[in-house]
């Protein structure tokens, strides 16, 4: 079975998903920034009381307000954008890819059947998925190679 | 002298490869690649990942600043052009660093007033990982998916930065194989 067939049949939940770090809309931007730093994630998902995603705050949002230090004390809901990039964990990977393309989104929130946010994935998740399908051409690559050696090898 | 003599003796010896080669007739030539079997690929994407080049992936032209440019200016450029990073190049057009949204998150957030006038070289990532335009796309995937580098500076054979490759660009390249 080729990659195309896998994409059509593999559910999103079988991918390597990121742990989702949820935030509440009344939490401050500073709290979200600290969370992103600690979890080494470029995005936090804002959820409501039922655990459903209602917004997201990313590094790109931070870039827009970085020169206004007072905004760090604002509630997240003031600077987040609605979380429209959502995929059900049981839907095929193709659905995730379509959402990323149609919404030009780097992050996609993964939800369960009840609509609760359970994980985060996105562009990097898709790259990891493709890598796992072609290990013999991708995993053999040198990480930091040079075209030419600085010094001659040998004596 | 002794060394020369040794070489001469080897040449004269009956076991010398040169002497043996003299006995090979033109009709005896065998193509050294006659038993070469090219790699077999199961999928078009697998083949293209191995055989195309980064140049085929249409990396974005780089957004560049000088090491002495202020952090405030670098952020302004990134915001205006909607880029996730800038390449920092010296006066000889050599790549010396990269400054990205992740640097803004980790080093600038909460300290903007204190850092905005500082040169970007203070907070940039020095000697970033790079990829050459002649490298295969598989290498970009390796560096991003396994190495966790989000932005790769694309260099030409003269080590001059000619582009930036990010996950969105790589995903755009992969899209045609997904549908």
């Amino acid at each position: 079975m080729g990659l195309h067939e896998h994409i059509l049949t593999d559910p999103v939940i079988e991918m390597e998903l990121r742990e989702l770090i949820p935030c509440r809309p009344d939490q401050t931007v500073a709290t979200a920034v600290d969370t992103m730093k600690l979890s080494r994630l470029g995005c936090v998902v804002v959820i409501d009381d039922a655990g459903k995603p209602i917004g997201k705050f990313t590094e790109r949002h931070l870039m827009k307000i970085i020169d206004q230090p007072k905004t760090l004390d604002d509630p997240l809901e003031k600077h987040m954008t609605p979380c429209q990039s959502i995929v059900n964990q049981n839907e095929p990977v193709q659905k995730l890819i379509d959402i990323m393309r149609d919404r030009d989104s780097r992050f996609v929130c993964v939800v369960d059947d009840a609509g609760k946010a359970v994980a985060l994935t996105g562009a990097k998740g898709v790259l990891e998925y493709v890598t796992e399908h072609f290990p013999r051409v991708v995993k053999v690559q040198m990480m930091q190679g040079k075209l030419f050696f600085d010094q001659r090898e040998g004596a | 002298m002794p060394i020369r003599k040794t070489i001469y003796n080897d040449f004269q010896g009956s076991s010398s490869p040169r002497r043996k080669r003299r006995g090979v007739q033109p009709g005896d030539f065998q193509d050294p690649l006659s038993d070469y079997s090219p790699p077999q690929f199961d999928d078009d994407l697998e083949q293209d990942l191995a055989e195309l080049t980064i140049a085929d992936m249409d990396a974005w032209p780089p957004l560049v600043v000088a090491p002495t440019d202020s952090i405030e200016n670098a952020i302004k450029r990134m915001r205006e052009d909607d880029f996730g990073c800038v390449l920092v190049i010296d006066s000889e057009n050599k790549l010396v660093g990269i400054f990205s949204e992740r640097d803004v998150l980790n080093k600038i957030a909460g300290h903007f007033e204190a850092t905005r006038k500082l040169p970007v070289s203070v907070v940039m990532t020095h000697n970033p990982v790079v990829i050459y335009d002649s490298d295969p796309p598989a290498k970009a995937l390796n560096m991003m998916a396994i190495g966790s580098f989000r932005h790769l500076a694309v260099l030409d054979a003269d080590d001059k930065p000619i582009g930036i490759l990010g996950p969105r660009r790589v995903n755009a390249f992969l899209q045609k194989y997904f549908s």
Side-chain angles (χ1 to χ4, degrees):
Chain A
M1 194 157 74
L3 177 68
H4 191 226
E5 287 77 19
H6 275 287
I7 285 172
L8 292 174
T9 55
D10 288 353
V12 170
I13 198 168
E14 284 188 9
M15 298 173 65
E16 288 280 333
L17 302 175
R18 295 278 178 282
E19 185 186 2
L20 180 137
I21 313 291
C23 283
R24 299 280 178 178
D26 56 350
Q27 283 185 295
T28 62
V29 171
T31 307
V33 167
D34 288 341
T35 304
M36 289 159 73
K37 278 186 198 177
L38 283 173
S39 55
R40 298 168 63 88
L41 274 173
C43 172
V44 290
V45 175
V46 184
I47 59 168
D48 62 12
D49 292 337
K52 293 182 178 177
I54 55 172
K56 65 178 178 180
F57 182 83
T58 68
E59 288 170 336
R60 197 57 62 97
H61 291 90
L62 177 64
M63 288 291 289
K64 290 177 183 168
I65 58 172
I66 190 74
D67 55 354
Q68 305 157 41
K70 287 181 181 174
T71 55
L72 287 173
D73 297 325
D74 288 343
L76 264 182
E77 59 190 341
K78 194 172 174 184
H79 300 285
M80 70 183 194
T81 50
C83 190
Q84 295 172 328
S85 302
I86 297 172
V87 67
N88 186 294
Q89 61 184 357
N90 296 314
E91 286 185 296
V93 176
Q94 180 70 58
K95 178 76 175 175
L96 165 69
I97 292 166
D98 291 343
I99 289 170
M100 284 174 52
R101 185 195 56 224
D102 297 343
R103 299 204 177 277
D104 192 25
S105 181
R106 208 179 95 208
F107 296 104
V108 177
C109 181
V110 183
V111 296
D112 61 14
D113 290 335
K116 285 186 179 179
V118 292
L120 195 66
T121 188
K124 186 163 184 281
V126 172
L127 297 188
E128 288 171 350
Y129 178 80
V130 173
T131 296
E132 288 305 316
H133 276 81
F134 303 120
R136 65 175 182 163
V137 296
V138 176
K139 291 189 175 176
V140 298
Q141 301 292 327
M142 261 200 315
M143 191 72 79
Q144 175 68 307
K146 283 193 163 189
L147 279 181
F148 309 104
F149 292 105
D150 291 333
Q151 294 179 333
R152 289 177 62 185
E153 281 186 292
Chain B
M1 272 311 268
I3 295 174
R4 273 194 180 183
K5 193 170 184 180
T6 304
I7 293 171
Y8 177 77
N9 286 341
D10 276 356
F11 179 69
Q12 291 295 309
S14 60
S15 61
S16 163
R18 290 193 188 185
R19 199 171 181 85
K20 280 182 181 172
R21 255 183 247 140
R22 283 184 190 152
V24 176
Q25 300 301 312
D28 296 338
F29 173 75
Q30 286 193 338
D31 183 356
L33 295 178
S34 60
D35 60 349
Y36 170 73
S37 55
Q40 301 293 315
F41 299 101
D42 301 331
D43 196 293
D44 286 347
L45 174 56
E46 186 178 28
Q47 182 166 4
D48 287 351
L49 285 174
E51 295 185 348
L52 293 183
T53 64
I54 297 298
D56 297 313
M57 299 182 80
D58 298 327
W60 293 109
L63 189 63
V64 296
V65 296
T68 51
D69 278 1
S70 69
I71 290 170
E72 186 176 30
N73 184 49
I75 291 175
K76 188 180 167 199
R77 294 282 309 279
M78 288 163 68
R79 216 161 42 187
E80 284 174 354
D81 291 37
D82 198 26
F83 266 53
C85 72
V86 287
L87 301 186
V88 185
I89 59 169
D90 64 13
S91 55
E92 295 175 351
N93 202 19
K94 291 280 183 189
L95 181 71
V96 292
I98 190 167
F99 179 67
S100 70
E101 289 172 333
R102 188 52 58 97
D103 292 315
V104 174
L105 172 70
N106 288 335
K107 301 169 186 172
I108 309 297
H111 312 286
F112 182 76
E113 283 303 321
T115 55
R116 67 191 182 101
K117 295 291 182 193
L118 294 176
V120 72
S121 58
V122 174
V123 289
M124 71 183 186
T125 301
H126 294 263
N127 302 317
V129 294
V130 299
I131 195 162
Y132 288 91
D133 60 349
S134 55
D135 282 331
K139 189 166 183 177
L141 239 69
N142 180 305
M143 295 166 93
M144 288 181 176
I146 300 171
S148 292
F149 297 103
R150 197 194 308 166
H151 295 104
L152 303 174
V154 182
L155 307 186
D156 65 12
D158 297 322
D159 282 340
K160 299 279 188 286
I162 56 170
I164 296 174
L165 203 59
R168 279 192 196 176
R169 199 65 239 152
V170 178
N171 269 292
F173 168 79
L174 297 174
Q175 283 290 344
K176 61 186 172 203
Y177 301 94
F178 293 158
S179 52

